[in-house]
Amino acid sequence: MAILLSGRGSNMLALVEATKSGVLKGLAEVVVVFSNKPDAFGLEAAAALGCPVAALPSQGRKREAFDTEAAQLLQQYQPDLVVLAGYMRILSSAFIQPFAGRILNIHPADTHQHQGLHAYEWAFENQLPETKITVHLVDEGLDTGPILAQQAVDLRGADTLAEVERRGLAVEHALYAQALADLIQNKQAVMSSKKTSC
Ligand code: GAR
């Protein structure tokens, strides 16, 4: 898988860890960690772990042109899956088409209730008793793709935004790795059932 990020990279770290000693061990490996922000902390962290890294600055670029170039760059690594982990860009079809059906995203809310940025702020400001972390396939809409996994986070008593985020991220890190493991295992099962049927 290729992991894409724009900032801190805590989901990336959790996924790399899961490939080494968690639910993704033997199922997935990271072929590249990519960022549209060359100075993203997550990129530095990935390099320190020995992951292949690549960056292409998006600042000042037109969306389609940047996405075409980013997709071409990623295709050189031949990822089966493109895993968005805090990749803060709306993707155009120039990026989505080459990887159609193979791009995943994690969103810190139920995508039926909240789309786009600042989902933890939204939950905190509205004093929601819970939020639902969502892993979904990416299509051409904003957080509109089919949902693969969801898990509720209890936010009762979380009286700071930092506490809301802390509880949410703990769930994100486990849920993303498990959703990927389930997806890969399902794909493998479909492929092996096809093999034995002819
Ligand atoms: C995570 O909370 C992720 O769900 C969110 O950005 C954060 C990235 O943190 N993504 C979105 O809001 C996408 N709409 P990380 O860099 O520490 O993984």
Side-chain angles (χ1 to χ4, degrees):
M1 56 189 178
I3 302 180
L4 276 55
L5 56 80
S6 300
R8 175 178 55 193
S10 72
N11 276 287
M12 176 280 298
L13 288 176
L15 292 175
V16 171
E17 183 65 32
T19 64
K20 290 186 176 168
S21 57
V23 291
L24 289 169
K25 191 174 174 186
L27 283 180
E29 61 185 43
V30 178
V31 291
V32 68
V33 175
F34 170 83
S35 185
N36 64 314
K37 303 233 182 230
D39 58 352
F41 179 77
L43 206 57
E44 210 178 298
L49 285 174
C51 296
V53 295
L56 191 62
S58 58
Q59 205 179 5
R61 300 282 313 271
K62 285 217 159 59
R63 188 175 303 283
E64 294 272 332
F66 175 81
D67 280 359
T68 302
E69 205 179 319
Q72 282 167 355
L73 188 156
L74 287 172
Q75 278 172 315
Q76 291 170 23
Y77 295 88
Q78 301 185 310
D80 294 315
L81 295 172
V82 175
V83 177
L84 309 184
Y87 187 61
M88 298 308 191
R89 287 187 60 79
I90 295 172
L91 299 173
S92 66
S93 58
F95 188 93
I96 293 178
Q97 287 305 323
F99 303 110
R102 297 187 288 134
I103 309 173
L104 283 82
N105 183 40
I106 189 157
H107 184 69
D110 185 340
T111 47
H112 294 310
Q113 294 188 324
H114 179 282
Q115 304 82 31
L117 300 175
H118 309 306
Y120 286 131
E121 286 88 334
W122 167 78
F124 180 62
E125 279 159 18
N126 290 289
Q127 299 182 322
L128 302 185
E130 68 165 40
T131 194
K132 243 182 213 166
I133 307 297
T134 305
V135 176
H136 65 96
L137 287 173
V138 174
D139 62 15
E140 299 204 9
L142 178 61
D143 296 330
T144 51
I147 290 172
L148 298 178
Q150 278 189 318
Q151 190 175 327
V153 185
D154 186 352
L155 296 180
R156 287 171 302 175
D159 52 11
T160 62
L161 176 59
E163 175 62 10
V164 167
E165 275 204 54
R166 190 191 65 75
R167 292 188 196 180
L169 281 168
V171 172
E172 288 191 39
H173 297 162
L175 185 70
Y176 213 0
Q178 189 60 56
L180 276 157
D182 292 346
L183 179 75
I184 294 162
Q185 275 164 336
N186 287 341
K187 277 191 193 288
Q188 286 176 342
V190 170
M191 281 163 73
S192 66
S193 75
K194 275 190 183 148
K195 263 187 209 148
T196 53
S197 66
C198 59

